[in-house]
Amino acid sequence: METTPTASLLNKILRGLKSFVSDVQGDKSLQAQFIFGLGNSERHWNRTGDDLLLSGERLLDYSFPDPSALPPAPTSSELLAFLDRRPRTNDAAIMLICMALECFYKARICANGGNPLPSETKAKHDLGALAAVAKVDGISKQDILRLTALSRHITWHGRYPVPTKPAFLLEARRSKEFPSDYEAATAENLRKTVDFLHDQIARCKE
């Protein structure tokens, strides 16, 4: 029977895959990761977390305008115009740093024996729940509650102007007791949230 171009291409892909798997002799976990979920491993979760963290940090550099760009004695209208030019990157920056922490938690879960990461954990975005599963030392109940509140930056706050699902709206209402420190839109309060997230990342990597 004549082989079609599509069938020929598929055969080449399958031969390449078999060759790759045979080259990784003795490493069953790597074979499983490649076949059933590329990148679902401690190494790849950590690498993705590092990339997201770096991106979030870069956005923080643009979150507030440079005061040296202000006139020596600005009028109120000049000050308002100056502040209005500020790139509003706070939400996106916090979203990326929270996503980085999520990846680091999942890398730790892999390191603790869940490698590759179970599918039910892979889909979780609740930082508080992930911290508990990752068995990170030194996290208080207050930290868990705050992490869960900050999880909204992953699910919607950093991506959409309003909650996109009824469950997210309920989460936002429950989170009022633990608002983001930076919501007053000051550099000092933004730094408090970032410092908290950095502290959690350091604990996770210990």
Side-chain angles (χ1 to χ4, degrees), residues 56 58-64 86-96 182 190:
R58 290 293 179 269
L59 278 183
L60 284 178
D61 293 339
Y62 296 97
S63 292
F64 293 93
R86 173 179 62 86
R88 290 168 174 80
T89 58
N90 294 0
D91 286 333
I94 297 297
M95 175 190 70
L96 291 171
Y182 78 88
L190 173 60

Side-chain angles (χ1 to χ4, degrees), residues 65 67 70-71 73-86:
L70 268 173
T75 64
S76 58
S77 60
E78 287 174 332
L79 181 59
L80 287 173
F82 172 72
L83 292 174
D84 192 51
R85 290 197 300 272
R86 173 179 62 86

Side-chain angles (χ1 to χ4, degrees), residues 82-182:
F82 172 72
L83 292 174
D84 192 51
R85 290 197 300 272
R86 173 179 62 86
R88 290 168 174 80
T89 58
N90 294 0
D91 286 333
I94 297 297
M95 175 190 70
L96 291 171
I97 297 174
C98 285
M99 291 173 71
L101 180 55
E102 175 186 336
C103 288
F104 294 139
Y105 282 146
K106 291 178 177 179
R108 187 181 176 99
I109 293 168
C110 285
N112 288 343
N115 194 7
L117 193 71
S119 58
E120 64 272 15
T121 304
K122 188 178 178 182
K124 282 185 181 294
H125 302 297
D126 184 333
L127 294 175
L130 286 170
V133 176
K135 299 178 181 177
V136 179
D137 295 330
I139 295 185
S140 67
K141 290 182 179 179
Q142 187 76 3
D143 288 342
I144 294 291
L145 291 171
R146 191 175 183 189
L147 285 166
T148 295
L150 285 169
S151 301
R152 68 183 185 275
H153 292 280
I154 300 174
T155 54
W156 69 270
H157 199 157
R159 304 159 60 195
Y160 310 110
V162 295
T164 54
K165 296 180 181 179
F168 295 163
L169 180 59
L170 293 175
E171 287 173 7
R173 289 176 177 172
R174 286 196 299 267
S175 297
K176 283 185 177 180
E177 188 178 349
F178 305 96
S180 295
D181 290 319
Y182 78 88

